[in-house]
Amino acid sequence: KNQVEQSPQSLIILEGKNCTLQCNYTVSPFSNLRWYKQDTGRGPVSLTIMTFSENTKSNGRYTATLDADTKQSSLHITASQLSDSASYICVVSDRGSTLGRLYFGRGTQLTVWP
Amino acid sequence: EADIYQTPRYLVIGTGKKITLECSQTMGHDKMYWYQQDPGMELHLIHYSYGVNSTEKGDLSSESTVSRIRTEHFPLTLESARPSHTSQYLCASSDDPGLPSSYEQYFGPGTRLTVT
């Protein structure tokens, strides 16, 4: 069964600290992995997209890594800010159809305290 | 910021009412999607469309229906709302992938529906 599991479910950190969020997946055949940021009451916004051949990609203070062999990804946030408080969703796409089926994790709820 | 819009943003309605959730995008995307999301849970695909006059059901069974008469417009309708329909509904669109791995999905802000 194609699944995406994220950990931790929730995380509280102090402003200025770094943190790492984890994503494990069983989706096959694999096409790409995305990390989205979803603010409360808003739609998800894409942070990074990585294909099979990419093992790291950065977007400002966000750095995603991908190990396609172990089917694991992480999202590292550097020097956190209050505005980083959001749900971070790992999404994996398969190559099984022209639709490019997306499998969503439940997200990690990050809270940044001042 | 993606050019995809949803109205209303919040809706509280009584059981049995007919409702239509609006979604429109100005990016000229052929593919559009409706997702349902409950608090703390993953997004579930309920409808999608490859283009005008194309609609398909997604993975999660839904009593809602959709239509795609114009490229930019993908409304979702519930003929008779029930409390079990209370959820957040997210609309998305994507461009046509030159490679299946390269397309991006852009999400609207969502409609929070509460059926009393």
Side-chain angles (χ1 to χ4, degrees), chain B residues 10-110:
Chain B
Y10 304 93
L11 180 62
V12 180
I13 200 163
T15 298
K17 299 292 186 181
K18 177 180 178 179
I19 60 170
T20 296
L21 308 185
E22 301 289 348
C23 175
S24 60
Q25 50 96 4
T26 59
M27 297 173 282
H29 290 166
D30 285 326
K31 293 183 173 65
M32 295 189 73
Y33 316 81
W34 275 103
Y35 292 91
Q36 186 173 340
Q37 184 183 30
D38 293 320
M41 302 296 287
E42 62 268 47
L43 277 72
H44 291 284
L45 182 68
I46 53 175
H47 298 283
Y48 60 96
S49 168
Y50 285 119
V52 171
N53 294 325
S54 155
T55 61
E56 303 286 344
K57 289 191 178 296
D59 305 313
L60 182 67
S61 176
S62 174
E63 293 168 346
S64 59
T65 59
V66 292
S67 62
R68 191 84 183 278
I69 298 173
R70 303 199 313 268
T71 298
E72 62 272 21
H73 197 211
F74 191 39
L76 181 147
T77 299
L78 275 167
E79 290 293 334
S80 180
R82 295 208 301 268
S84 61
H85 297 138
T86 295
S87 189
Q88 174 154 347
Y89 294 85
L90 290 161
C91 180
S93 71
S94 68
D95 50 13
D96 199 306
L99 292 171
S101 61
S102 62
Y103 80 98
E104 177 64 89
Q105 276 200 20
Y106 300 91
F107 287 85

Side-chain angles (χ1 to χ4, degrees), chain A residues 9 31-32 34 36 38 41-46 49 51 89 93 95 97-102 104-106, chain B residues 1 9-10 31 33 35 37 40-43 45 48 50 59 88 90 100-105 107-109:
Chain A
Q9 185 176 4
S31 177
N32 60 71
R34 310 134 184 263
Y36 282 91
Q38 184 176 22
R42 307 290 296 182
V45 175
S46 179
I49 300 177
T51 60
I89 304 173
S93 177
R95 289 187 286 112
S97 70
T98 56
L99 179 65
R101 174 79 167 80
L102 297 183
F104 291 81
R106 294 186 175 184
Chain B
E1 192 81 13
R9 292 293 316 282
Y10 304 93
K31 293 183 173 65
Y33 316 81
Y35 292 91
Q37 184 183 30
M41 302 296 287
E42 62 268 47
L43 277 72
L45 182 68
Y48 60 96
Y50 285 119
D59 305 313
Q88 174 154 347
L90 290 161
S101 61
S102 62
Y103 80 98
E104 177 64 89
Q105 276 200 20
F107 287 85

